[in-house]
Amino acid sequence: MPYVLPRTGELGPPARVTVTPAGVRYHDPALDETSRDDDGALWEVRAGAPTGPPAYTAELHPARQREAMENLLCAGCREPADRGPDGMLWLLPLLGAGPDTRWEGVRTAIPPMCAACAEVAPTVCPVLGDGHVELRVREADLIGVRGTLHPRPGEPGDPDPDALVLHDTPDLRFVVARQAVRELRRVTVVRQQRPVKPRRAPRR
Ligand SMILES: [Zn+2]
């Protein structure tokens, strides 16, 4: 059971928020206090309890993703991620990226991995199994969060459900954060693995 994946039933409706001129906050003051990080961002809180197997979606569990990403723990097992002479081990899905893709400076919400989980992950995770790249990374600063960015009171428009908001920007007060994001620097590409399954049937 990969640590950062939600389990079926776990991601129920998010707690309700109010948007004020000072930023977004929870109706419940106690929840507001416990859900705000040192940078001032409010973190998403979801109702629900795990009832079933892991849900292999693009969405990671907000609290566990944040814990793993902020502390550089393995996405699979919560042990420290693997460190080698070329840096920390990261496995990212290709998501259609070509062989000439530059990975230097890529921004990701996927935490690093330990060596054991990196071997197994592509065989159990369909997103990684559909092609992935293995990286060694020497610098990975926390640069911001992904989440739901709310318009200021009186501004037109709907909330942006998947905004990247950088630290030290005014938008940070108006986002409900769902994932911590790091920017990967001094990157070495170890290998790229194309999809395991052939996309077309071989000719006979
Ligand atoms: Zn692991």
Side-chain angles (χ1 to χ4, degrees):
M1 168 68 208
Y3 182 66
V4 296
L5 280 185
R7 288 175 62 182
T8 306
E10 216 175 12
L11 296 185
R16 286 180 59 211
V17 295
T18 310
V19 185
T20 75
V24 66
R25 63 178 179 79
Y26 284 122
H27 288 257
D28 177 353
L31 184 63
D32 192 85
E33 195 176 325
T34 53
S35 306
R36 200 170 288 283
D37 69 19
D38 293 344
D39 293 301
L42 194 67
W43 279 78
E44 188 173 87
V45 175
R46 302 280 285 259
T51 56
Y56 285 97
T57 63
E59 197 170 2
L60 307 179
H61 187 277
R64 296 198 294 272
Q65 187 275 351
R66 181 183 168 198
E67 183 199 10
M69 196 58 140
E70 289 187 348
N71 298 294
L72 294 168
L73 306 178
C74 173
C77 69
R78 199 172 170 250
E79 292 294 316
D82 189 72
R83 287 174 194 267
D86 290 330
M88 191 163 277
L89 173 59
W90 242 278
L91 223 59
L92 298 181
L94 288 183
L95 299 175
D100 54 349
T101 299
R102 281 176 52 83
W103 298 94
E104 180 67 31
V106 70
R107 294 166 169 183
T108 185
I110 299 177
M113 280 195 186
C114 74
C117 287
E119 290 236 335
V120 182
T123 65
V124 295
C125 171
V127 182
L128 290 172
D130 215 22
H132 61 270
V133 63
E134 184 181 323
L135 307 175
R136 288 285 172 175
V137 177
R138 285 209 167 96
E139 286 176 19
D141 287 345
L142 283 166
I143 57 155
V145 297
R146 291 205 86 90
T148 303
L149 180 60
H150 292 266
R152 270 62 163 176
E155 267 185 12
D158 294 320
D160 177 351
D162 189 28
L164 171 64
V165 177
L166 301 180
H167 288 154
D168 304 319
T169 61
D171 280 351
L172 202 64
R173 283 265 163 194
F174 291 89
V175 70
V176 180
R178 200 178 303 122
Q179 318 261 274
V181 175
R182 286 186 184 268
E183 186 171 279
L184 309 189
R185 293 265 169 209
R186 301 175 69 200
V187 169
T188 305
V189 177
V190 179
R191 64 192 168 89
Q192 279 202 27
Q193 185 71 52
R194 294 276 137 205
V196 178
K197 286 171 288 183
R199 293 198 174 272
R200 271 172 290 178
R203 284 167 180 269
R204 288 179 184 272

